[in-house]
Each structure stands twice: as C-alpha cells, then as structure tokens.
PDB file of all heavy atoms in Angstrom:
ATOM      1  N   ALA A   1      25.203 -25.597  95.573  1.00 97.00           N
ATOM      2  CA  ALA A   1      24.988 -24.232  96.076  1.00 97.00           C
ATOM      3  C   ALA A   1      24.614 -23.251  94.984  1.00 97.00           C
ATOM      4  O   ALA A   1      23.706 -22.423  95.016  1.00 97.00           O
ATOM      5  CB  ALA A   1      26.137 -23.728  96.884  1.00 97.00           C
ATOM      6  N   VAL A   2      25.468 -23.334  93.954  1.00 98.00           N
ATOM      7  CA  VAL A   2      25.370 -22.455  92.784  1.00 98.00           C
ATOM      8  C   VAL A   2      24.036 -22.705  92.023  1.00 98.00           C
ATOM      9  O   VAL A   2      23.223 -21.818  91.720  1.00 98.00           O
ATOM     10  CB  VAL A   2      26.552 -22.577  91.849  1.00 98.00           C
ATOM     11  CG1 VAL A   2      26.288 -21.843  90.427  1.00 98.00           C
ATOM     12  CG2 VAL A   2      27.782 -21.971  92.510  1.00 98.00           C
ATOM     13  N   SER A   3      23.791 -23.971  91.754  1.00 98.00           N
ATOM     14  CA  SER A   3      22.597 -24.348  91.112  1.00 98.00           C
ATOM     15  C   SER A   3      21.329 -23.950  91.803  1.00 98.00           C
ATOM     16  O   SER A   3      20.395 -23.439  91.229  1.00 98.00           O
ATOM     17  CB  SER A   3      22.568 -25.920  90.809  1.00 98.00           C
ATOM     18  OG  SER A   3      21.369 -26.303  90.216  1.00 98.00           O
ATOM     19  N   TYR A   4      21.315 -24.118  93.133  1.00 98.00           N
ATOM     20  CA  TYR A   4      20.185 -23.842  93.946  1.00 98.00           C
ATOM     21  C   TYR A   4      19.929 -22.310  93.976  1.00 98.00           C
ATOM     22  O   TYR A   4      18.791 -21.827  93.746  1.00 98.00           O
ATOM     23  CB  TYR A   4      20.281 -24.375  95.411  1.00 98.00           C
ATOM     24  CG  TYR A   4      19.194 -24.007  96.320  1.00 98.00           C
ATOM     25  CD1 TYR A   4      17.950 -24.523  96.195  1.00 98.00           C
ATOM     26  CD2 TYR A   4      19.393 -22.981  97.229  1.00 98.00           C
ATOM     27  CE1 TYR A   4      16.873 -24.161  96.998  1.00 98.00           C
ATOM     28  CE2 TYR A   4      18.319 -22.648  98.063  1.00 98.00           C
ATOM     29  CZ  TYR A   4      17.093 -23.170  97.908  1.00 98.00           C
ATOM     30  OH  TYR A   4      16.052 -22.819  98.786  1.00 98.00           O
ATOM     31  N   ALA A   5      21.049 -21.602  94.171  1.00 98.00           N
ATOM     32  CA  ALA A   5      20.966 -20.132  94.219  1.00 98.00           C
ATOM     33  C   ALA A   5      20.305 -19.604  92.918  1.00 98.00           C
ATOM     34  O   ALA A   5      19.448 -18.746  92.942  1.00 98.00           O
ATOM     35  CB  ALA A   5      22.269 -19.487  94.473  1.00 98.00           C
ATOM     36  N   LEU A   6      20.760 -20.059  91.836  1.00 98.00           N
ATOM     37  CA  LEU A   6      20.231 -19.624  90.563  1.00 98.00           C
ATOM     38  C   LEU A   6      18.883 -19.978  90.303  1.00 98.00           C
ATOM     39  O   LEU A   6      18.012 -19.267  89.823  1.00 98.00           O
ATOM     40  CB  LEU A   6      21.158 -20.138  89.413  1.00 98.00           C
ATOM     41  CG  LEU A   6      22.615 -19.558  89.435  1.00 98.00           C
ATOM     42  CD1 LEU A   6      23.394 -20.278  88.269  1.00 98.00           C
ATOM     43  CD2 LEU A   6      22.644 -18.088  89.239  1.00 98.00           C
ATOM     44  N   GLN A   7      18.453 -21.224  90.771  1.00 97.00           N
ATOM     45  CA  GLN A   7      17.102 -21.665  90.581  1.00 97.00           C
ATOM     46  C   GLN A   7      16.114 -20.846  91.359  1.00 97.00           C
ATOM     47  O   GLN A   7      14.982 -20.637  90.990  1.00 97.00           O
ATOM     48  CB  GLN A   7      16.967 -23.087  90.974  1.00 97.00           C
ATOM     49  CG  GLN A   7      17.640 -24.070  89.904  1.00 97.00           C
ATOM     50  CD  GLN A   7      17.714 -25.468  90.351  1.00 97.00           C
ATOM     51  OE1 GLN A   7      17.222 -25.849  91.534  1.00 97.00           O
ATOM     52  NE2 GLN A   7      18.451 -26.330  89.666  1.00 97.00           N
ATOM     53  N   ILE A   8      16.547 -20.260  92.511  1.00 98.00           N
ATOM     54  CA  ILE A   8      15.611 -19.518  93.368  1.00 98.00           C
ATOM     55  C   ILE A   8      15.659 -17.993  93.106  1.00 98.00           C
ATOM     56  O   ILE A   8      14.997 -17.197  93.655  1.00 98.00           O
ATOM     57  CB  ILE A   8      15.805 -19.750  94.855  1.00 98.00           C
ATOM     58  CG1 ILE A   8      17.141 -19.133  95.391  1.00 98.00           C
ATOM     59  CG2 ILE A   8      15.656 -21.223  95.230  1.00 98.00           C
ATOM     60  CD1 ILE A   8      17.297 -19.115  96.881  1.00 98.00           C
ATOM     61  N   GLY A   9      16.493 -17.657  92.051  1.00 98.00           N
ATOM     62  CA  GLY A   9      16.399 -16.283  91.609  1.00 98.00           C
ATOM     63  C   GLY A   9      17.748 -15.466  91.646  1.00 98.00           C
ATOM     64  O   GLY A   9      17.767 -14.387  91.087  1.00 98.00           O
ATOM     65  N   TYR A  10      18.769 -15.964  92.298  1.00 98.00           N
ATOM     66  CA  TYR A  10      20.028 -15.266  92.242  1.00 98.00           C
ATOM     67  C   TYR A  10      20.546 -15.262  90.805  1.00 98.00           C
ATOM     68  O   TYR A  10      20.188 -16.217  90.008  1.00 98.00           O
ATOM     69  CB  TYR A  10      21.090 -16.044  93.062  1.00 98.00           C
ATOM     70  CG  TYR A  10      21.089 -15.863  94.567  1.00 98.00           C
ATOM     71  CD1 TYR A  10      20.128 -16.493  95.309  1.00 98.00           C
ATOM     72  CD2 TYR A  10      22.040 -15.119  95.209  1.00 98.00           C
ATOM     73  CE1 TYR A  10      20.138 -16.428  96.690  1.00 98.00           C
ATOM     74  CE2 TYR A  10      22.069 -14.970  96.633  1.00 98.00           C
ATOM     75  CZ  TYR A  10      21.112 -15.633  97.311  1.00 98.00           C
ATOM     76  OH  TYR A  10      21.094 -15.533  98.707  1.00 98.00           O
ATOM     77  N   ARG A  11      21.268 -14.209  90.430  1.00 98.00           N
ATOM     78  CA  ARG A  11      21.836 -14.145  89.042  1.00 98.00           C
ATOM     79  C   ARG A  11      23.302 -13.828  89.031  1.00 98.00           C
ATOM     80  O   ARG A  11      23.899 -13.741  87.953  1.00 98.00           O
ATOM     81  CB  ARG A  11      20.996 -13.127  88.196  1.00 98.00           C
ATOM     82  CG  ARG A  11      19.570 -13.595  87.963  1.00 98.00           C
ATOM     83  CD  ARG A  11      19.564 -14.792  87.016  1.00 98.00           C
ATOM     84  NE  ARG A  11      18.254 -15.330  86.699  1.00 98.00           N
ATOM     85  CZ  ARG A  11      17.634 -16.312  87.391  1.00 98.00           C
ATOM     86  NH1 ARG A  11      18.269 -16.871  88.443  1.00 98.00           N
ATOM     87  NH2 ARG A  11      16.465 -16.721  87.024  1.00 98.00           N
ATOM     88  N   HIS A  12      23.861 -13.598  90.162  1.00 98.00           N
ATOM     89  CA  HIS A  12      25.218 -13.143  90.313  1.00 98.00           C
ATOM     90  C   HIS A  12      26.038 -14.197  91.094  1.00 98.00           C
ATOM     91  O   HIS A  12      25.694 -14.499  92.252  1.00 98.00           O
ATOM     92  CB  HIS A  12      25.211 -11.796  91.000  1.00 98.00           C
ATOM     93  CG  HIS A  12      26.502 -11.201  91.303  1.00 98.00           C
ATOM     94  ND1 HIS A  12      26.615  -9.915  91.773  1.00 98.00           N
ATOM     95  CD2 HIS A  12      27.832 -11.654  91.169  1.00 98.00           C
ATOM     96  CE1 HIS A  12      27.920  -9.573  91.952  1.00 98.00           C
ATOM     97  NE2 HIS A  12      28.628 -10.633  91.578  1.00 98.00           N
ATOM     98  N   ILE A  13      27.055 -14.787  90.516  1.00 98.00           N
ATOM     99  CA  ILE A  13      27.953 -15.760  91.166  1.00 98.00           C
ATOM    100  C   ILE A  13      29.388 -15.316  91.116  1.00 98.00           C
ATOM    101  O   ILE A  13      29.886 -14.937  90.112  1.00 98.00           O
ATOM    102  CB  ILE A  13      27.798 -17.136  90.417  1.00 98.00           C
ATOM    103  CG1 ILE A  13      26.399 -17.610  90.309  1.00 98.00           C
ATOM    104  CG2 ILE A  13      28.697 -18.154  91.152  1.00 98.00           C
ATOM    105  CD1 ILE A  13      25.681 -17.922  91.684  1.00 98.00           C
ATOM    106  N   ASP A  14      29.952 -15.264  92.317  1.00 98.00           N
ATOM    107  CA  ASP A  14      31.377 -14.727  92.450  1.00 98.00           C
ATOM    108  C   ASP A  14      32.382 -15.879  92.806  1.00 98.00           C
ATOM    109  O   ASP A  14      32.098 -16.623  93.849  1.00 98.00           O
ATOM    110  CB  ASP A  14      31.429 -13.684  93.524  1.00 98.00           C
ATOM    111  CG  ASP A  14      32.795 -13.084  93.662  1.00 98.00           C
ATOM    112  OD1 ASP A  14      33.673 -13.639  94.446  1.00 98.00           O
ATOM    113  OD2 ASP A  14      33.056 -12.005  93.092  1.00 98.00           O
ATOM    114  N   THR A  15      33.351 -16.052  92.021  1.00 98.00           N
ATOM    115  CA  THR A  15      34.380 -17.029  92.327  1.00 98.00           C
ATOM    116  C   THR A  15      35.797 -16.415  92.072  1.00 98.00           C
ATOM    117  O   THR A  15      35.835 -15.153  91.798  1.00 98.00           O
ATOM    118  CB  THR A  15      34.237 -18.386  91.588  1.00 98.00           C
ATOM    119  OG1 THR A  15      35.251 -19.337  91.985  1.00 98.00           O
ATOM    120  CG2 THR A  15      34.370 -18.107  90.126  1.00 98.00           C
ATOM    121  N   ALA A  16      36.808 -17.158  92.148  1.00 98.00           N
ATOM    122  CA  ALA A  16      38.234 -16.677  91.849  1.00 98.00           C
ATOM    123  C   ALA A  16      39.090 -17.903  91.595  1.00 98.00           C
ATOM    124  O   ALA A  16      38.844 -18.992  92.104  1.00 98.00           O
ATOM    125  CB  ALA A  16      38.768 -15.941  93.033  1.00 98.00           C
ATOM    126  N   SER A  17      40.109 -17.684  90.808  1.00 98.00           N
ATOM    127  CA  SER A  17      41.001 -18.829  90.458  1.00 98.00           C
ATOM    128  C   SER A  17      41.549 -19.511  91.746  1.00 98.00           C
ATOM    129  O   SER A  17      41.626 -20.747  91.861  1.00 98.00           O
ATOM    130  CB  SER A  17      42.108 -18.464  89.489  1.00 98.00           C
ATOM    131  OG  SER A  17      42.877 -17.458  90.056  1.00 98.00           O
ATOM    132  N   VAL A  18      41.957 -18.634  92.675  1.00 97.00           N
ATOM    133  CA  VAL A  18      42.584 -19.148  93.880  1.00 97.00           C
ATOM    134  C   VAL A  18      41.649 -19.900  94.775  1.00 97.00           C
ATOM    135  O   VAL A  18      42.066 -20.729  95.608  1.00 97.00           O
ATOM    136  CB  VAL A  18      43.241 -17.955  94.688  1.00 97.00           C
ATOM    137  CG1 VAL A  18      42.171 -17.172  95.479  1.00 97.00           C
ATOM    138  CG2 VAL A  18      44.326 -18.504  95.642  1.00 97.00           C
ATOM    139  N   TYR A  19      40.316 -19.784  94.594  1.00 97.00           N
ATOM    140  CA  TYR A  19      39.379 -20.592  95.342  1.00 97.00           C
ATOM    141  C   TYR A  19      39.424 -22.051  95.022  1.00 97.00           C
ATOM    142  O   TYR A  19      38.940 -22.875  95.745  1.00 97.00           O
ATOM    143  CB  TYR A  19      37.925 -20.095  95.151  1.00 97.00           C
ATOM    144  CG  TYR A  19      37.674 -18.604  95.566  1.00 97.00           C
ATOM    145  CD1 TYR A  19      36.434 -18.042  95.318  1.00 97.00           C
ATOM    146  CD2 TYR A  19      38.585 -17.889  96.281  1.00 97.00           C
ATOM    147  CE1 TYR A  19      36.170 -16.699  95.632  1.00 97.00           C
ATOM    148  CE2 TYR A  19      38.368 -16.529  96.698  1.00 97.00           C
ATOM    149  CZ  TYR A  19      37.098 -15.977  96.410  1.00 97.00           C
ATOM    150  OH  TYR A  19      36.855 -14.620  96.760  1.00 97.00           O
ATOM    151  N   GLY A  20      39.838 -22.316  93.766  1.00 97.00           N
ATOM    152  CA  GLY A  20      40.029 -23.650  93.380  1.00 97.00           C
ATOM    153  C   GLY A  20      38.685 -24.422  93.078  1.00 97.00           C
ATOM    154  O   GLY A  20      38.603 -25.597  93.171  1.00 97.00           O
ATOM    155  N   ASN A  21      37.636 -23.582  92.832  1.00 97.00           N
ATOM    156  CA  ASN A  21      36.320 -24.191  92.586  1.00 97.00           C
ATOM    157  C   ASN A  21      35.675 -23.803  91.341  1.00 97.00           C
ATOM    158  O   ASN A  21      34.352 -23.966  91.206  1.00 97.00           O
ATOM    159  CB  ASN A  21      35.361 -23.967  93.764  1.00 97.00           C
ATOM    160  CG  ASN A  21      35.169 -22.495  94.070  1.00 97.00           C
ATOM    161  OD1 ASN A  21      35.405 -21.644  93.307  1.00 97.00           O
ATOM    162  ND2 ASN A  21      34.655 -22.173  95.300  1.00 97.00           N
ATOM    163  N   GLU A  22      36.435 -23.265  90.417  1.00 98.00           N
ATOM    164  CA  GLU A  22      35.730 -22.730  89.170  1.00 98.00           C
ATOM    165  C   GLU A  22      35.012 -23.829  88.357  1.00 98.00           C
ATOM    166  O   GLU A  22      34.037 -23.575  87.825  1.00 98.00           O
ATOM    167  CB  GLU A  22      36.806 -22.003  88.303  1.00 98.00           C
ATOM    168  CG  GLU A  22      37.284 -20.661  88.844  1.00 98.00           C
ATOM    169  CD  GLU A  22      38.404 -20.044  88.051  1.00 98.00           C
ATOM    170  OE1 GLU A  22      39.349 -20.790  87.758  1.00 98.00           O
ATOM    171  OE2 GLU A  22      38.325 -18.840  87.788  1.00 98.00           O
ATOM    172  N   GLU A  23      35.605 -25.011  88.404  1.00 97.00           N
ATOM    173  CA  GLU A  23      34.942 -26.161  87.668  1.00 97.00           C
ATOM    174  C   GLU A  23      33.612 -26.441  88.280  1.00 97.00           C
ATOM    175  O   GLU A  23      32.610 -26.585  87.541  1.00 97.00           O
ATOM    176  CB  GLU A  23      35.793 -27.422  87.721  1.00 97.00           C
ATOM    177  CG  GLU A  23      37.161 -27.379  87.030  1.00 97.00           C
ATOM    178  CD  GLU A  23      38.361 -26.944  87.969  1.00 97.00           C
ATOM    179  OE1 GLU A  23      38.046 -26.463  89.060  1.00 97.00           O
ATOM    180  OE2 GLU A  23      39.410 -27.215  87.556  1.00 97.00           O
ATOM    181  N   GLY A  24      33.561 -26.420  89.641  1.00 97.00           N
ATOM    182  CA  GLY A  24      32.268 -26.737  90.270  1.00 97.00           C
ATOM    183  C   GLY A  24      31.231 -25.624  90.089  1.00 97.00           C
ATOM    184  O   GLY A  24      30.061 -25.907  89.892  1.00 97.00           O
ATOM    185  N   VAL A  25      31.741 -24.316  90.107  1.00 98.00           N
ATOM    186  CA  VAL A  25      30.861 -23.239  89.812  1.00 98.00           C
ATOM    187  C   VAL A  25      30.283 -23.393  88.358  1.00 98.00           C
ATOM    188  O   VAL A  25      29.042 -23.233  88.173  1.00 98.00           O
ATOM    189  CB  VAL A  25      31.574 -21.879  89.911  1.00 98.00           C
ATOM    190  CG1 VAL A  25      30.813 -20.706  89.308  1.00 98.00           C
ATOM    191  CG2 VAL A  25      31.865 -21.574  91.421  1.00 98.00           C
ATOM    192  N   GLY A  26      31.150 -23.732  87.448  1.00 98.00           N
ATOM    193  CA  GLY A  26      30.680 -23.899  86.080  1.00 98.00           C
ATOM    194  C   GLY A  26      29.634 -25.003  85.970  1.00 98.00           C
ATOM    195  O   GLY A  26      28.646 -24.873  85.161  1.00 98.00           O
ATOM    196  N   LYS A  27      29.833 -26.067  86.672  1.00 98.00           N
ATOM    197  CA  LYS A  27      28.869 -27.170  86.589  1.00 98.00           C
ATOM    198  C   LYS A  27      27.520 -26.747  87.235  1.00 98.00           C
ATOM    199  O   LYS A  27      26.443 -27.127  86.751  1.00 98.00           O
ATOM    200  CB  LYS A  27      29.411 -28.430  87.335  1.00 98.00           C
ATOM    201  CG  LYS A  27      30.580 -29.087  86.677  1.00 98.00           C
ATOM    202  CD  LYS A  27      31.172 -30.229  87.476  1.00 98.00           C
ATOM    203  CE  LYS A  27      32.318 -30.835  86.847  1.00 98.00           C
ATOM    204  NZ  LYS A  27      32.958 -31.861  87.696  1.00 98.00           N
ATOM    205  N   GLY A  28      27.615 -25.962  88.326  1.00 98.00           N
ATOM    206  CA  GLY A  28      26.420 -25.393  88.979  1.00 98.00           C
ATOM    207  C   GLY A  28      25.663 -24.582  87.993  1.00 98.00           C
ATOM    208  O   GLY A  28      24.386 -24.589  88.018  1.00 98.00           O
ATOM    209  N   VAL A  29      26.292 -23.764  87.222  1.00 98.00           N
ATOM    210  CA  VAL A  29      25.690 -22.861  86.279  1.00 98.00           C
ATOM    211  C   VAL A  29      24.934 -23.731  85.252  1.00 98.00           C
ATOM    212  O   VAL A  29      23.649 -23.459  84.925  1.00 98.00           O
ATOM    213  CB  VAL A  29      26.705 -21.986  85.547  1.00 98.00           C
ATOM    214  CG1 VAL A  29      26.127 -21.319  84.282  1.00 98.00           C
ATOM    215  CG2 VAL A  29      27.235 -20.910  86.484  1.00 98.00           C
ATOM    216  N   VAL A  30      25.548 -24.781  84.788  1.00 97.00           N
ATOM    217  CA  VAL A  30      24.887 -25.705  83.742  1.00 97.00           C
ATOM    218  C   VAL A  30      23.681 -26.405  84.435  1.00 97.00           C
ATOM    219  O   VAL A  30      22.585 -26.436  83.795  1.00 97.00           O
ATOM    220  CB  VAL A  30      25.869 -26.689  83.199  1.00 97.00           C
ATOM    221  CG1 VAL A  30      25.167 -27.732  82.424  1.00 97.00           C
ATOM    222  CG2 VAL A  30      26.987 -26.064  82.412  1.00 97.00           C
ATOM    223  N   GLU A  31      23.827 -26.933  85.657  1.00 96.00           N
ATOM    224  CA  GLU A  31      22.766 -27.666  86.230  1.00 96.00           C
ATOM    225  C   GLU A  31      21.619 -26.775  86.638  1.00 96.00           C
ATOM    226  O   GLU A  31      20.392 -27.271  86.718  1.00 96.00           O
ATOM    227  CB  GLU A  31      23.341 -28.370  87.571  1.00 96.00           C
ATOM    228  CG  GLU A  31      24.219 -29.531  87.201  1.00 96.00           C
ATOM    229  CD  GLU A  31      24.505 -30.430  88.444  1.00 96.00           C
ATOM    230  OE1 GLU A  31      23.870 -30.180  89.445  1.00 96.00           O
ATOM    231  OE2 GLU A  31      25.351 -31.350  88.307  1.00 96.00           O
ATOM    232  N   SER A  32      21.875 -25.448  86.723  1.00 97.00           N
ATOM    233  CA  SER A  32      20.708 -24.636  87.123  1.00 97.00           C
ATOM    234  C   SER A  32      19.674 -24.487  86.024  1.00 97.00           C
ATOM    235  O   SER A  32      18.538 -24.234  86.329  1.00 97.00           O
ATOM    236  CB  SER A  32      21.246 -23.250  87.466  1.00 97.00           C
ATOM    237  OG  SER A  32      21.616 -22.502  86.312  1.00 97.00           O
ATOM    238  N   GLY A  33      20.085 -24.722  84.782  1.00 97.00           N
ATOM    239  CA  GLY A  33      19.207 -24.522  83.641  1.00 97.00           C
ATOM    240  C   GLY A  33      18.926 -23.145  83.270  1.00 97.00           C
ATOM    241  O   GLY A  33      18.094 -22.873  82.337  1.00 97.00           O
ATOM    242  N   ILE A  34      19.531 -22.143  83.885  1.00 97.00           N
ATOM    243  CA  ILE A  34      19.304 -20.705  83.598  1.00 97.00           C
ATOM    244  C   ILE A  34      20.179 -20.375  82.417  1.00 97.00           C
ATOM    245  O   ILE A  34      21.359 -20.698  82.371  1.00 97.00           O
ATOM    246  CB  ILE A  34      19.617 -19.868  84.843  1.00 97.00           C
ATOM    247  CG1 ILE A  34      18.950 -20.277  86.065  1.00 97.00           C
ATOM    248  CG2 ILE A  34      19.361 -18.357  84.460  1.00 97.00           C
ATOM    249  CD1 ILE A  34      17.466 -20.234  85.963  1.00 97.00           C
TER     250      ILE A  34
END
C-alpha cells in the first residue's frame, strides 16, 4: 500500500507506534524507490 501510494504520487505517509506496522511502512518507503 505504501509503496504503491508513493509510486503514484503520494508523498505523505502516516503511521503510529501503536499501529504495529512501522516496519512495514519503512519497507514500503524503500520499495517505492522515492
């Protein structure tokens, strides 16, 4: 989701420690190539 959003032009990603998905968000950032 993060990688796709960034690839189509989003630049703002919102997460939180309690969401338990910061690792996945970080991976999506890397995979986006942005």
